[in-house]
Amino acid sequence: MGSLINIGSKCLEVSVTGKGQPVVILPGLSSSMDEWERLTNKLSSYAQVIIFHRSGCGRSELDEEKRNTYATVKDLFSLLNKLEIDRPVIVVGHSYGGFCAQHFALKHPEKVHSVVLVESNSVDFELLNEVIGPQSALWSTMYKAFAKMTEEQIKDQLKPQLSPEIQKYTDEMKERIVKFKINPRMYQSLADELNEMPNCAETIKQYGRLRNIPLIVIGRDPDYSIQLMVHQGMPEQQAKRIEEVWQDLIKAQMKLSPNSKYVLASNSGHGIYVDNPNVIIGEILSLLG
């Protein structure tokens, strides 16, 4: 659990551990910082690790500002100033957090030492919709419905199932993760972020490419992912087509920087930070020099 830090416009729930090179972690759309604890605990032995919940998530306050990648970029900029971090940071973003990481690095390259994108959303995510349909719109509709429910109603709808790896966490941590995921206020924020994604993608594209900033793109194991989709009831050919497009979108992110590389996380699905956190840790350590 993090501490509340006032960044001027609101308070954010932030965890800061370790010393040395600052590493900022931006979790995915509905990912709790508790889900990252195994990774952050190990990494904090080598670096200063900063992870926070976006506005509306966890105990982070939700203000009147429109929720989009620009708002998260603005909040991160303010947070770094509040923490008096004046050296360039390693920005690590997962899924939607990777979307925000791209925006931050492009808008504030002077603040960025390097970037690690972990299964990041692509600025060309609409190509995925051509294969699986308008998923963002469907999720947004569901999230808006959750925003009007009580915590118990959301819990009944979600019936939160923790992954086998998260099942190994302490009971206290598992309770916090479930509590995080049944917060009605969070779902209004997530719905707004999803609705804004097309506009954010266009904004990010307008920045062009990163300067010669080191970029590591970490993607999931395609065979593992296909097997998971089939296990969940999807026809194999459809799963293969979805995975082909996803892999293309992930690898295309290497074009963001002339100084980039791709890393495949074996035996991992979308949640690499849970399935195989050592891959992420190893790549971050390689950037510490």
Side-chain angles (χ1 to χ4, degrees), residues 223-242:
D223 292 334
Y224 184 97
S225 182
I226 291 169
Q227 290 174 11
L228 183 60
M229 286 186 276
V230 171
H231 179 72
Q232 293 171 342
M234 183 178 291
E236 185 174 359
Q237 288 305 313
Q238 183 182 4
K240 286 181 176 179
R241 178 56 183 151
I242 290 172

Side-chain angles (χ1 to χ4, degrees), residues 45-269:
S45 297
Y46 306 94
Q48 181 184 39
V49 182
I50 302 155
I51 184 169
F52 68 97
H53 288 146
R54 297 187 316 282
S55 181
C57 300
R59 295 189 297 144
S60 290
E61 295 175 348
L62 182 62
D63 55 19
E64 297 300 316
E65 187 173 22
K66 183 181 292 185
R67 295 311 308 160
N68 50 30
T69 57
Y70 177 78
T72 297
V73 166
K74 182 180 175 183
D75 288 348
L76 175 53
F77 187 88
S78 297
L79 176 61
L80 293 177
N81 286 338
K82 181 69 175 183
L83 295 175
E84 298 182 344
I85 294 174
D86 54 9
R87 63 189 290 191
V89 302
I90 298 175
V91 183
V92 182
H94 171 258
S95 196
Y96 180 80
F99 206 51
C100 297
Q102 292 175 56
H103 195 160
F104 184 84
L106 288 161
K107 182 173 177 57
H108 299 292
E110 75 286 352
K111 292 280 189 180
V112 177
H113 171 281
S114 48
V115 180
V116 180
L117 299 179
V118 184
E119 278 284 285
S120 173
N121 286 131
S122 167
V123 292
D124 295 315
F125 70 92
E126 304 248 355
L127 294 175
L128 194 63
N129 290 344
E130 295 176 8
V131 183
I132 61 177
Q135 291 295 298
S136 294
L138 293 175
W139 281 99
S140 176
T141 299
M142 182 179 72
Y143 287 163
K144 286 179 180 178
F146 284 171
K148 298 177 181 178
M149 297 181 185
T150 65
E151 289 187 352
E152 286 303 313
Q153 288 172 326
I154 296 173
K155 189 173 184 179
D156 184 60
Q157 288 289 320
L158 286 180
K159 294 182 173 55
Q161 297 295 314
L162 304 181
S163 74
E165 289 300 320
I166 291 179
Q167 290 287 1
K168 300 175 184 177
Y169 292 1
T170 65
D171 289 341
E172 179 184 358
M173 190 180 302
K174 286 187 286 189
E175 184 178 341
R176 288 204 305 266
I177 292 172
V178 171
K179 182 74 173 177
F180 176 90
K181 294 182 184 298
I182 60 174
N183 174 9
R185 181 189 59 178
M186 176 178 75
Y187 287 102
Q188 182 57 58
S189 179
L190 301 187
D192 292 343
E193 288 175 330
L194 285 173
N195 288 338
E196 285 292 310
M197 278 188 69
N199 292 334
C200 294
E202 290 306 311
T203 298
I204 294 170
K205 287 179 182 179
Q206 289 174 10
Y207 282 104
R209 302 175 72 195
L210 295 168
R211 299 170 190 172
N212 196 33
I213 292 175
L215 167 66
I216 298 175
V217 176
I218 304 177
R220 68 196 186 198
D221 184 329
D223 292 334
Y224 184 97
S225 182
I226 291 169
Q227 290 174 11
L228 183 60
M229 286 186 276
V230 171
H231 179 72
Q232 293 171 342
M234 183 178 291
E236 185 174 359
Q237 288 305 313
Q238 183 182 4
K240 286 181 176 179
R241 178 56 183 151
I242 290 172
E243 192 61 23
E244 179 184 3
V245 175
W246 180 264
Q247 292 290 333
D248 287 345
L249 291 175
I250 291 294
K251 291 175 183 176
Q253 291 168 17
M254 289 190 291
K255 298 177 183 177
L256 276 168
S257 172
N259 183 7
S260 66
K261 76 170 185 175
Y262 168 77
V263 176
L264 186 149
S266 60
N267 299 315
S268 299

